[in-house]
Amino acid sequence: QVRLVESGGGSVQAGGSVRLSCAASGITVSSACMGWFRQAPGKERDGVAGVSIVGFTKCADSVKGRFTISRDNAKNTLYLQMNSLKPEDTAMYYCAAGCAGYTTPRLAESEYNYWGQGTQVTVSS
């Protein structure tokens, strides 16, 4: 059974940084296609960053240069480092796994099978 547990969310001022963690069980993070998504109130859930099975990464244009996705194989944990945060980054952030991207990271919600419960990030101006 796959379980994904996010942590690290909270409130931060604009320009600050937050690192989200996604502790995984039932899958091996080092060989899994995984990603981070976010959903703001009244909006659809959007892909933020993804990592392919072999480790290639991709970020959405809205966060490129500010966010970094990485994984710690020893801890079986996926991370999202978020720098230079903006109020528009405020959202519930979700970890996801189970996509089929061997070399290509995936940012489409429909391509993921497993989801965490989410962690809230609030950025104030």
Side-chain angles (χ1 to χ4, degrees):
Q1 182 179 358
V2 176
R3 186 165 183 241
L4 305 172
V5 179
E6 301 97 333
S7 61
S11 297
V12 63
Q13 288 192 327
S17 298
V18 169
R19 187 177 79 159
L20 303 182
S21 300
C22 173
S25 58
I27 60 168
T28 301
V29 168
S30 62
S31 58
C33 177
M34 298 184 71
W36 287 97
F37 289 74
R38 68 185 181 185
Q39 187 170 23
K43 295 188 177 181
E44 296 183 349
R45 187 154 57 181
D46 292 325
V48 174
V51 56
S52 71
I53 290 172
V54 295
F56 292 114
T57 63
K58 179 180 180 179
C59 287
D61 289 342
S62 59
V63 304
K64 201 169 292 183
R66 301 189 297 122
F67 291 12
T68 303
I69 186 172
S70 63
R71 52 194 187 188
D72 186 324
N73 299 338
K75 296 183 178 179
N76 210 39
T77 298
L78 182 73
Y79 297 102
L80 183 67
Q81 178 67 44
M82 305 188 293
N83 299 328
S84 301
L85 283 162
K86 304 174 181 180
E88 51 263 44
D89 294 318
T90 295
M92 184 72 79
Y93 284 74
Y94 298 91
C95 173
C99 49
Y102 185 75
T103 55
T104 305
R106 305 301 171 93
L107 294 182
E109 182 179 4
S110 61
E111 297 198 67
Y112 286 80
N113 295 318
Y114 306 105
W115 295 85
Q117 83 288 350
T119 186
Q120 177 70 35
V121 174
T122 302
V123 184
S124 58
S125 57

